[in-house]
Amino acid sequence: MTREEDIKNAVEVLRKGGVILYPTDTVWGIGCDATNAEAVKRVYEIKQRDDSKALICLVDSDARLQRYVRNVPDVAWQLLDSMKDSDSKPTTLILDGAINLAPNLIAEDGSIGMRITQEPFSKELCYRFQKALVSTSANISGEPAAQNYQDIDPRILEAVDYVCWSRRQEHKPHQPSSIIRLKENGEVSIIRK
């Protein structure tokens, strides 16, 4: 299967409200349409995770990020610009004022974790889907994240609607993203390095 076909199949499933497993710029992820509350609910169920713990979203561009956050602070743009080179560790920004997303995806304080992916497969997937994509590690809550396809728990493989073919053969270490919390008032906190 070509990467194009893989992405086309994944997008079809996402548009129907399905849940997919896909390689990201960090570890393998469980994904769905970030605007579909029923799909988001299924992701929480698959992970056996309390829905009070917010999930993060992947987008493909600065423009798409602005669709889901009321006011992106200047410091966020500075950080994003500094991370555009391919050697930067992927970084998730937790931003206030989440909008246009499934309510069960947004944290109680109104914030959302967003990451602009630079990795070719997930970037193309987000671009073709034209919406934010939920991206949470492909593991049962409390268990180690699946760095590679062969690390994914069979229960998760069975629970999703589509498993992407791209990068299944990969065997290399992957780490979760850094997480930085940016408040609207400019306050910056590092949650995970």
Side-chain angles (χ1 to χ4, degrees):
M1 178 182 299
T2 67
R3 189 170 94 173
E4 282 296 307
E5 291 168 328
D6 200 12
I7 287 172
K8 183 175 177 268
N9 293 342
V11 167
E12 273 180 34
V13 170
L14 292 166
R15 287 201 174 123
K16 291 177 184 166
V19 176
I20 66 167
L21 265 176
Y22 67 109
T24 75
D25 52 345
T26 59
V27 296
W28 270 72
I30 301 172
C32 71
D33 177 349
T35 67
N36 182 326
E38 278 304 306
V40 170
K41 182 177 179 229
R42 275 196 57 216
V43 171
Y44 281 115
E45 289 166 356
I46 290 167
K47 278 188 71 82
Q48 299 173 26
R49 181 174 175 168
D50 182 354
D51 68 6
S52 67
K53 291 185 173 181
L55 303 172
I56 70 158
C57 297
L58 278 190
V59 291
D60 62 317
S61 65
D62 296 356
R64 191 116 35 227
L65 172 69
Q66 290 180 284
R67 281 193 200 167
Y68 301 107
V69 178
R70 192 167 284 111
N71 294 308
V72 180
D74 288 341
V75 68
W77 297 123
Q78 292 162 10
L79 263 169
L80 291 167
D81 284 344
S82 72
M83 294 183 295
K84 290 237 164 107
D85 79 65
S86 59
D87 293 338
S88 294
K89 182 176 182 183
T91 300
T92 300
L93 301 180
I94 299 176
L95 301 163
D96 291 327
I99 54 173
N100 303 321
L101 293 165
N104 53 344
L105 193 57
I106 300 169
E108 285 179 20
D109 66 1
S111 67
I112 187 69
M114 301 290 287
R115 188 165 73 246
I116 299 173
T117 179
Q118 301 301 330
E119 183 272 328
F121 182 86
S122 54
K123 188 174 185 81
E124 179 77 5
L125 178 63
C126 290
Y127 175 74
R128 295 279 173 217
F129 185 51
Q130 295 284 299
K131 290 184 187 178
L133 191 58
V134 165
S135 181
T136 183
S137 54
N139 61 311
I140 303 293
S141 193
E143 293 180 5
Q147 292 186 35
N148 295 290
Y149 172 77
Q150 71 271 10
D151 303 324
I152 300 170
D153 187 305
R155 293 173 291 177
I156 290 179
L157 290 169
E158 290 167 18
V160 300
D161 302 305
Y162 184 74
V163 181
C164 290
W165 288 90
S166 299
R167 292 179 46 203
R168 281 195 190 186
Q169 304 309 314
E170 204 170 76
H171 296 280
K172 62 183 190 179
H174 294 278
Q175 296 178 325
S177 69
S178 298
I179 301 176
I180 299 175
R181 174 75 165 101
L182 302 177
K183 296 255 188 186
E184 281 182 295
N185 65 9
E187 187 184 314
V188 178
S189 328
I190 295 173
I191 310 249
R192 181 170 70 200
K193 280 193 170 196

